[in-house]
């Protein structure tokens, strides 16, 4: 599973900096279970962020239950619905939500505040994006959702040293099985060949 290095060495607020949003059975910090956090991390139920809170759930017409990043989803007809939400504190904003299919950005599913204004909230609102997106997949695919504030910074809280970076968040993949044989990757190395052992196998 993907995680982001928070680089946290001290107990201070660190607002707007690098964080892992981990699925939890409680929103009361005093009741969070360390064992549960370990299980959720190992399952990939993680969203990586520099501040924005990104939630992603996926399902199909035939399966009322929703899955979250890190999970497998059976979609016999290839039709998948993604429920995507983005929330931000008042010092951050986002203006783009991009869906990646098998590691590549989908031109069809590139949503910005200018081309999809109805899905983006007001710039001073907590909810920045809220939409259900329909995907049609022809083969097994892993689906990642990312959001970013293009041309924006985090300087209001993080200052000049770290604040020049844009606010962004990236989900772990949801693995969609279309043919019923279990998820199989498509072998696309995205132009960046994997390191290989002398035997030729992927490391």
């Amino acid at each position: 599973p993907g995680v982001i290095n928070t680089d946290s060495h001290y107990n201070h607020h660190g607002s707007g900096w690098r964080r892992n949003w981990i699925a939890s059975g409680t929103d009361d910090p005093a009741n969070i279970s360390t064992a549960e956090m370990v299980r959720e991390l190992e399952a990939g139920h993680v969203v990586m962020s520099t501040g924005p809170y990104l939630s992603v759930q996926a399902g199909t017409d035939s399966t009322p239950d929703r899955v979250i990043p890190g999970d497998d989803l059976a979609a016999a007809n290839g039709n998948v619905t993604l429920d995507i939400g983005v929330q931000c504190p008042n010092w951050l904003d986002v203006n783009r939500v991009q869906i990646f299919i098998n590691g590549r950005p989908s031109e069809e599913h590139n949503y910005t505040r200018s081309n999809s204004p109805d899905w983006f909230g007001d710039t001073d609102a907590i909810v920045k994006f809220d939409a259900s997106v329909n995907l049609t997949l022809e083969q097994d695919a892993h689906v990642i959702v990312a959001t970013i504030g293009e041309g924006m910074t985090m300087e209001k809280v993080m200052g000049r040293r770290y604040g020049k970076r844009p606010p962004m968040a990236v989900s772990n993949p949801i693995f969609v099985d279309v043919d019923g044989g279990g998820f199989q990757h498509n072998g696309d190395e995205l132009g960046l060949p994997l390191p290989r052992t002398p035997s030729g196998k992927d490391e």
Side-chain angles (χ1 to χ4, degrees), residues 12-201:
H12 69 96
H13 66 87
S15 302
W17 195 220
R18 298 171 290 189
R19 291 291 180 264
N20 294 295
W21 302 114
I22 308 168
S24 172
T26 178
D27 59 3
D28 181 353
N31 291 322
I32 291 176
S33 161
T34 300
E36 180 191 19
M37 294 299 96
V38 171
R39 291 193 300 271
E40 297 297 327
L41 279 163
E42 289 179 339
H45 297 162
V46 183
V47 170
M48 298 156 279
S49 175
T50 62
Y53 179 79
L54 168 65
S55 64
V56 181
Q57 296 185 350
T60 69
D61 293 338
S62 59
T63 55
D65 294 335
R66 291 292 191 259
V67 302
I68 62 176
D71 287 340
D72 296 325
L73 176 66
N77 58 8
N79 294 327
V80 175
T81 299
L82 287 179
D83 299 321
I84 304 170
V86 183
Q87 298 180 38
C88 291
N90 61 6
W91 60 86
L92 299 179
D93 195 9
V94 297
N95 52 18
R96 180 182 177 192
V97 171
Q98 172 73 64
I99 296 174
F100 294 79
I101 299 174
N102 283 327
R104 296 187 179 273
S106 167
E107 293 184 9
E108 179 183 358
H109 300 290
N110 176 25
Y111 305 103
T112 66
R113 194 177 288 279
S114 59
N115 70 25
S116 304
D118 293 341
W119 285 358
F120 282 83
D122 294 336
T123 56
D124 59 352
I126 294 173
V127 177
K128 302 297 186 178
F129 185 88
D130 185 18
S132 292
V133 178
N134 295 318
L135 305 181
T136 301
L137 304 173
E138 298 180 357
Q139 61 181 356
D140 290 0
H142 68 270
V143 178
I144 293 171
V145 179
T147 186
I148 189 172
E150 291 183 316
M152 302 177 180
T153 71
M154 301 183 296
E155 289 181 272
K156 287 184 180 179
V157 167
M158 297 311 302
R160 294 180 180 178
R161 182 177 180 186
Y162 298 116
K164 295 293 186 183
R165 296 175 173 88
M168 65 178 70
V170 182
S171 76
N172 264 273
I174 293 174
F175 302 94
V176 183
D177 174 19
V178 171
D179 59 13
F183 173 79
Q184 299 292 325
H185 67 81
N186 67 352
D188 185 355
E189 296 180 350
L190 306 176
L192 298 168
L194 297 174
R196 300 183 185 280
T197 64
S199 65
K201 296 181 179 179

Side-chain angles (χ1 to χ4, degrees), residues 1-17:
V3 295
I4 190 170
N5 175 16
T6 63
D7 201 27
S8 296
H9 301 276
Y10 304 99
N11 185 22
H12 69 96
H13 66 87
S15 302
W17 195 220

